[in-house]
Structures are given as structure tokens and as C-alpha cells.
Amino acid sequence: MENKEKNIEQAQESCYQQWMSLQSQRVPELKQALAQRRTNEGTADAAADDNKLRELTQTIIGDFKNYAGKRADLSHRCSSNYYAPSWNTPLENALIWMGGCRPSSFFRLVYALCGSQTEIRVTQFLRNIDATIIQNLMTEFKNQYRFGGSGGASLSDLTAEQLAKINVLHVKIIDEEEKMTKKVSSLQEDAADIPISTVAYAEEHVGEPNAMVDQALDKQEEAMATLLAEADNLRVDTLTKIIEILTPVQAGDFLMAGKKLHLSMHQWGALRDRRRRECIIDAGNDAGGEEEK
């Protein structure tokens, strides 16, 4: 009979794998909803499509909240696993902040999509210019591809009001990040404080079990679990507030881009990991080594 019992790390990894699977599932759902909305642009069905996108958006935010709640429950038994997860690739762990992505990276994604989509639309417009109407260039561009038009058809259609709200929120979130970073820095410094450092110095044999050290490290793990929950809450809160600023189509685009980025980084990290393992160096050379041909 199969043994279904899991240790804490296995339970945490299983939770992560379920989350990644759900992310993969949501991508085609978003694609379909966005495609349908754009097909019905300007028709009576557009409003109904917007409502469907809003419902899907709220479902996705609910997914994130549920995942954060599960992480909080599991982290109280062992929080340090989340700060350098074994189920992540080295690339992902090099970019990690408080057990996940920086909430401020959500804004960078908005700005990147806004800029790239605008560039694509301008390029498409310029390719279709007739020399005989060059004098009407600016007028046609504003009429066909104006910012804020088409009901917020993409992130390149962000209005001045939306951009202002996003900028204000961005500044606020960066401030919250800095406060949390200071807290985790203080916890990291505690490892070199009493009693851990003094016990390590006094012990005859390095790494012997010690009740005082266990108690201090347990306290630190609890504090790290609290910080992880705070960071997850900030991530969820930031995502929710950004979605509130965007139109349904913009929110769908943003969420799909975020999910595809997350999934892609994991795959790219795994690919780079395989390449690294296949790279053989001559151990007899200098520290840098030379790749063997």
C-alpha cells in the first residue's frame, strides 16, 4: 500500500507544485476570455465579456490568497525552507525576496507591457502609412490608436489618471518593501548575537546539539514565518490594488503576462541548470577553470 504521509518539506513542495499547475491552467483561460472580448469589441456582447473577465480576475486573486494562506500554515512548522526553496532553481532563488517576488516588480511589469505594446502599435501604424497622407500622420494616429481609447483595449491604453494612481501606489509599496527588508536584515544579524555566537564559541565540538541554540533558532523561525506571511499579504494586496486601477482587458493582459513570466522563469532556470551540470571544467586549473572541449 502506498505511503501518503509527507514530511514538512514535501508538503511545502507539493503545495508549490499545485500552485504552478493552477498557474498553467489559468493562462489558457485568460487567453480565451481576452480573445473573446477583443472579438466582440464595439458590440453589445462586450459588456458581458468584461464581466466574465472581472469574474476570472477575482478568481485568480482568490487563488493567490488561498496559496498565501496555505504557505502561512506550513511555514509555522518550518519557515526557512521558503527563503531558499529546494524546489526552486538556483536562478529563481537568486532573484527571490522574502519567499517570493518583490511586489514592486508588478509595477515594472505594467510599465514594460505598456511600453512594448505602444511600440508595437506605433510600428504597425507606420508600416501602413501612405505617402499621400503623411501630413495627417498625427491626426490619424490619435484617432486610431489614441491612449485611453477602445475601452482600455491594452496596457498601451493606460490613461494619465491610471498612470498617476499606479505611480502613487508604486511609491507606497516600495516604502513597505524597505520596512520589511530592514526587519529580515535584523533577523539575519541575530544569528551572530547571543546566545548563538557565544555557544558556538564555547562548544568543544562544532555543531553539537544545544537546547539554548534550538530555542533561539525556533524563535527566529517563528519570526521569519510572520515576515513571510506579511510579505505574501503585501503581494496579494499590491496585485489587488493594481487590478482595481486597470480595465478588465488590461487586468487580464497583466495577469496573463505575470503568470507566463513566473512559469517561464522556472523553465529557463531549469534549462540553465541542465546546461551548468553538463559543463565540464578542468579541476586542475585556476579557480575559474577551463571548459573541456
Side-chain angles (χ1 to χ4, degrees), residues 9 95 99 110 148 189 191 237 242 263 276 286:
E9 185 171 2
L95 300 173
V110 170
E189 291 167 3
D237 188 51
I242 289 176
L263 293 165
R276 205 163 17 240
D286 294 336

Side-chain angles (χ1 to χ4, degrees), residues 11-20 22-23 60-74 82 85 87-88 99-100 228 232 235-236 262:
Q12 290 171 338
E13 182 173 359
S14 176
C15 177
Y16 167 78
Q17 296 297 347
Q18 290 171 14
W19 167 242
M20 292 294 280
L22 186 56
Q23 297 253 72
I60 289 170
I61 291 175
D63 292 341
F64 201 176
K65 288 180 180 178
N66 290 337
Y67 178 57
K70 290 176 182 177
R71 277 164 51 104
D73 290 340
L74 291 168
Y82 283 112
W87 49 87
N88 271 2
L228 177 69
D232 277 349
R235 282 184 273 265
V236 172
H262 186 195

Side-chain angles (χ1 to χ4, degrees), residues 7-38:
N7 62 36
I8 184 60
E9 185 171 2
Q10 289 171 331
Q12 290 171 338
E13 182 173 359
S14 176
C15 177
Y16 167 78
Q17 296 297 347
Q18 290 171 14
W19 167 242
M20 292 294 280
S21 177
L22 186 56
Q23 297 253 72
S24 298
Q25 176 187 326
R26 295 301 184 206
V27 170
E29 291 176 1
L30 283 165
K31 279 185 179 179
Q32 183 179 0
L34 286 167
Q36 183 174 328
R37 172 60 176 81
R38 287 180 171 129

Side-chain angles (χ1 to χ4, degrees), residues 213-226:
V213 170
D214 281 339
Q215 186 177 6
L217 291 177
D218 285 345
K219 185 177 179 182
Q220 188 174 43
E221 288 256 18
E222 290 173 7
M224 290 169 68
T226 299

Side-chain angles (χ1 to χ4, degrees), residues 84-95:
S86 59
W87 49 87
N88 271 2
T89 63
L91 174 64
E92 290 172 293
N93 280 341
L95 300 173

Side-chain angles (χ1 to χ4, degrees), residues 139-170:
T139 302
E140 285 220 19
F141 179 78
K142 289 177 182 177
N143 288 339
Q144 294 183 33
Y145 300 103
R146 63 190 181 279
F147 290 90
S150 303
S154 74
L155 284 164
S156 65
D157 292 313
L158 286 172
T159 65
E161 182 181 2
Q162 284 178 307
L163 285 169
K165 289 179 178 179
I166 288 171
N167 183 61
V168 170
L169 182 60
H170 191 183

Side-chain angles (χ1 to χ4, degrees), residues 17-218:
Q17 296 297 347
Q18 290 171 14
W19 167 242
M20 292 294 280
S21 177
L22 186 56
Q23 297 253 72
S24 298
Q25 176 187 326
R26 295 301 184 206
V27 170
E29 291 176 1
L30 283 165
K31 279 185 179 179
Q32 183 179 0
L34 286 167
Q36 183 174 328
R37 172 60 176 81
R38 287 180 171 129
T39 299
N40 293 329
E41 177 66 36
T43 70
D45 294 327
D49 291 337
D50 279 343
N51 287 333
K52 289 179 182 177
L53 272 169
R54 289 190 187 97
E55 289 175 5
L56 181 54
T57 295
Q58 291 306 310
T59 298
I60 289 170
I61 291 175
D63 292 341
F64 201 176
K65 288 180 180 178
N66 290 337
Y67 178 57
K70 290 176 182 177
R71 277 164 51 104
D73 290 340
L74 291 168
S75 68
H76 282 295
R77 300 176 64 185
C78 185
S79 62
S80 56
N81 283 346
Y82 283 112
Y83 286 80
S86 59
W87 49 87
N88 271 2
T89 63
L91 174 64
E92 290 172 293
N93 280 341
L95 300 173
I96 206 168
W97 176 84
M98 304 282 285
C101 65
R102 285 183 176 271
S104 58
S105 67
F106 297 156
F107 299 95
R108 297 293 290 271
L109 181 59
V110 170
Y111 299 146
L113 291 171
C114 179
S116 66
Q117 290 179 359
T118 300
E119 182 179 353
I120 290 169
R121 292 174 71 173
V122 171
T123 301
Q124 289 173 340
F125 176 77
L126 292 175
R127 285 175 179 170
N128 294 327
I129 292 176
D130 189 304
T132 62
I133 61 167
I134 192 68
Q135 64 271 24
N136 297 320
L137 171 63
M138 293 309 296
T139 302
E140 285 220 19
F141 179 78
K142 289 177 182 177
N143 288 339
Q144 294 183 33
Y145 300 103
R146 63 190 181 279
F147 290 90
S150 303
S154 74
L155 284 164
S156 65
D157 292 313
L158 286 172
T159 65
E161 182 181 2
Q162 284 178 307
L163 285 169
K165 289 179 178 179
I166 288 171
N167 183 61
V168 170
L169 182 60
H170 191 183
V171 172
K172 178 183 176 183
I173 296 305
I174 287 176
D175 184 53
E176 293 296 321
E177 278 184 7
E178 290 176 350
K179 290 177 182 177
M180 288 190 184
T181 299
K182 288 178 181 178
K183 288 181 182 179
V184 78
S185 296
S186 178
L187 280 175
Q188 289 169 338
E189 291 167 3
D190 286 347
D193 206 345
I194 298 173
I196 298 174
S197 58
T198 52
V199 170
Y201 179 76
E203 288 290 341
E204 181 69 23
H205 300 288
V206 173
E208 283 189 337
N210 184 281
M212 289 179 62
V213 170
D214 281 339
Q215 186 177 6
L217 291 177
D218 285 345

